[in-house]
Amino acid sequence: MDLIGTILWPLKWIVELLLVGWHWLFSAVGLEPAAGLTWLLSIVGLVLVVRAALIPLFVRQIKSQRRMLEVAPQLKKIQEKYSGKKDQFSREARSRETMALYKRTGTNPLGSCLPLLVQLPIFFALFSVLNSAQFGEAGVGPLGVPLAQQFGNAELFGVAPLHDSFAAQWSLMVAGQPFEPSVMWIAATMVVLMTASQFITQLQIVSKNMSPETRASPMFRQQRILLYVLPLAFVFSGVAFPLGVIIYWLTSNIWTMLQQFVVIRNMPTPGSQAARAREERLARRDRPTQVTGPSERSPRLPPRWFIRLAWKTHRALFRVTGGRRGLWPARPERWGAMRLTTIGRRSGQERSVILGYMEDGPNLVTLAMNGWGEAEPAWWLNLQARPQAGVQLTGGTRLVVAHAATGQERDRLWDRWRTLDKDLDRYAARRPTETAVVILEPGAESDRQR
């Protein structure tokens, strides 16, 4: 056994134990032991356990990188102090000051590399075990010949053996021999997903998690090139990988992508776009409410993407049903839903949106709240540029003219909205500006056409 094999032997034994353990668990709960699905889930379980065990090393790597960034300005001053001095005394003095800086700040230039070096043998062991098992070769531990052969012969969806690859089927097709198109389709789909996950992971780092100093350096240009080059490497190598190995890489890439998302959101690089976004989130969360009486935290809102998805779903329901669903009348104890059509202030085209409203005599009243987001809603900006609009209710359509309520009228209408939403003031306190109370008065046809 060579040196590398000696180093990987205990790691491969642990990897095989986890793979066989997951296979036993899924077989025990009723899955067919020889089925491709059982082995696929076993690979996924194996990767998840190994990546979860490496989280402490990953966090340590991130913290080491952060500390190196913090001391970078001081390190640069030392380098500038001795710039151009080649004598032995200056070199020794620079080395002493540098080591004193590392000791004082508790940093280590190798600290960010060590966790990565520790992870590499584990990944090599994972790849080696899965690659050998594709061909029915016994492992060094619990993965004996019967299980290895079962693994290699297992088929995804009953048509694609785990030991098969896109390249192997392509060779058969080019040679004019019988081949299995389903293997090529499955492998190609997984390679595309694997490449896309790698690209998204790199894009998160390059676009959001780099400081201005790094973005201005030559290293940033190199990383921009790698952003497109690395995924291409997966395309060319992925077509040659057996399906079992592709499953491993895809699962690992998805884990990395999600892990980077969490790190960038919660532990961003100081000075980066992600760091500014985190500071803004913390500032919004800690902003005091304007409610009189005992202080209370602002009520929680769903994520912004969820709010936008709800709006789009609501509008889609209205369109699909031809307007039969999605609108409802206002009642004294409940707000209604109407469809407001404005003229785009820039495009000059009609723009429609579904809004909540209440009735105030002949007028309709709504709030320019934008889902309690910070920006003013586009429909309200359109109305400020052109107050004439159209409204569709459950009972028909009407033309209206919009204006913002002010003074006592606004206070009266705001109090009425409070009866419909007890958390109205606390939601409004989340916005940096006053939420407009918009009155839609009945308008004339001539107003609409002006």
Side-chain angles (χ1 to χ4, degrees):
M1 185 181 295
D2 57 12
L3 178 61
I4 296 179
T6 303
I7 296 174
L8 294 183
W9 188 91
L11 296 176
K12 291 171 67 174
W13 202 97
I14 295 173
V15 167
E16 290 180 18
L17 179 63
L18 290 172
L19 181 64
V20 172
W22 278 108
H23 179 261
W24 174 86
L25 178 62
F26 288 123
S27 300
V29 298
L31 294 182
E32 175 61 38
L37 177 62
T38 307
W39 284 107
L40 182 150
L41 294 176
S42 300
I43 295 172
V44 172
L46 164 66
V47 175
L48 295 182
V49 170
V50 172
R51 295 303 300 267
L54 292 175
I55 287 178
L57 288 176
F58 179 77
V59 172
R60 183 176 177 182
Q61 179 182 356
I62 294 296
K63 290 182 177 179
S64 296
Q65 291 172 345
R66 296 292 186 271
R67 285 195 292 267
M68 286 300 298
L69 285 173
E70 291 171 1
V71 303
Q74 303 174 57
L75 196 60
K76 186 177 180 181
K77 289 181 181 179
I78 296 175
Q79 293 171 345
E80 291 175 349
K81 179 180 177 180
Y82 294 97
S83 176
K85 298 179 180 180
K86 305 295 185 180
D87 59 284
Q88 183 176 354
F89 175 80
S90 297
R91 290 198 301 268
E92 291 177 353
R94 183 176 64 178
S95 178
R96 283 197 303 269
E97 291 186 28
T98 301
M99 295 306 297
L101 174 63
Y102 288 150
K103 184 176 181 180
R104 186 171 66 253
T105 57
T107 55
N108 185 342
L110 298 179
S112 59
C113 301
L114 183 59
L116 181 62
L117 294 177
V118 173
Q119 294 177 45
L120 285 178
I122 299 175
F123 291 141
F124 284 141
L126 273 170
F127 182 87
S128 176
V129 168
L130 294 177
N131 196 45
S132 298
Q134 306 294 327
F135 306 103
E137 298 177 7
V140 299
L143 191 65
V145 173
L147 280 176
Q149 291 177 345
Q150 187 185 84
F151 179 93
N153 294 327
E155 296 181 339
L156 283 179
F157 312 114
V159 293
L162 291 179
H163 69 266
D164 217 337
S165 66
F166 181 96
Q169 293 298 321
W170 178 269
S171 299
L172 292 175
M173 182 182 70
V174 172
Q177 299 180 17
F179 67 98
E180 185 57 64
S182 57
V183 173
M184 300 175 68
W185 280 109
I186 294 172
T189 301
M190 294 175 70
V191 168
V192 168
L193 293 175
M194 185 171 64
T195 304
S197 60
Q198 177 68 29
F199 178 79
I200 293 172
T201 300
Q202 294 297 320
L203 184 63
Q204 288 183 118
I205 298 173
V206 172
S207 63
K208 297 181 179 180
N209 203 38
M210 285 190 172
S211 63
E213 294 81 8
T214 304
R215 297 177 74 90
S217 68
M219 183 181 69
F220 177 71
R221 291 192 291 272
Q222 294 173 2
Q223 288 202 285
R224 291 286 296 183
I225 296 173
L226 288 176
L227 172 65
Y228 299 98
V229 172
L230 281 179
L232 288 177
F234 276 101
V235 172
F236 292 111
S237 60
V239 295
F241 286 160
L243 290 177
V245 175
I246 297 180
I247 293 168
Y248 152 68
W249 277 114
L250 176 60
T251 306
S252 185
N253 279 1
I254 292 174
W255 176 285
T256 302
M257 180 177 66
L258 297 177
Q259 185 172 256
Q260 282 290 358
F261 173 80
V262 173
V263 168
I264 291 173
R265 181 176 175 83
N266 298 290
M267 299 173 60
T269 300
S272 64
Q273 177 187 337
R276 294 193 297 272
R278 184 172 185 270
E279 290 172 0
E280 292 173 1
R281 288 197 305 272
L282 294 176
R284 288 198 301 268
R285 187 185 68 184
D286 297 335
R287 182 183 297 145
T289 62
Q290 301 175 357
V291 183
T292 58
S295 62
E296 301 179 48
R297 296 182 69 86
S298 297
R300 300 184 69 86
L301 287 172
R304 194 67 186 168
W305 64 266
F306 183 86
I307 294 175
R308 292 183 179 278
L309 178 62
W311 289 342
K312 292 180 180 180
T313 303
H314 196 167
R315 291 196 294 268
L317 175 65
F318 178 86
R319 289 194 299 269
V320 169
T321 61
R324 294 187 298 274
R325 295 288 185 273
L327 305 181
W328 56 87
R331 303 185 186 280
E333 72 286 353
R334 187 188 71 173
W335 51 268
M338 64 178 179
R339 186 172 186 253
L340 174 71
T341 300
T342 62
I343 301 298
R345 62 194 182 282
R346 296 191 183 122
S347 66
Q349 303 297 316
E350 290 191 346
R351 297 286 184 262
S352 297
V353 63
I354 296 178
L355 303 172
Y357 77 98
M358 68 177 184
E359 294 180 339
D360 184 51
N363 301 333
L364 306 176
V365 182
T366 188
L367 300 178
M369 62 182 187
N370 194 25
W372 301 119
E374 292 190 359
E376 294 288 5
W379 63 265
W380 175 227
L381 297 176
N382 292 342
L383 287 177
Q384 292 179 67
R386 184 186 176 102
Q388 296 78 23
V391 169
Q392 181 175 350
L393 305 170
T394 54
T397 61
R398 67 174 73 173
L399 299 176
V400 295
V401 179
H403 71 271
T406 58
Q408 293 183 352
E409 184 179 37
R410 184 187 187 281
D411 294 340
R412 177 181 65 83
L413 295 174
W414 190 263
D415 287 339
R416 283 197 58 196
W417 269 106
R418 278 199 191 101
T419 64
L420 303 179
D421 187 349
K422 61 182 177 61
D423 289 324
L424 181 66
D425 290 296
R426 293 197 291 149
Y427 280 125
R430 301 176 67 99
R431 307 187 72 229
T433 57
E434 183 180 75
T435 301
V437 178
V438 182
I439 299 175
L440 303 174
E441 297 179 337
E445 183 69 27
S446 58
D447 292 333
R448 176 67 170 167
Q449 295 176 347
R450 267 204 307 248

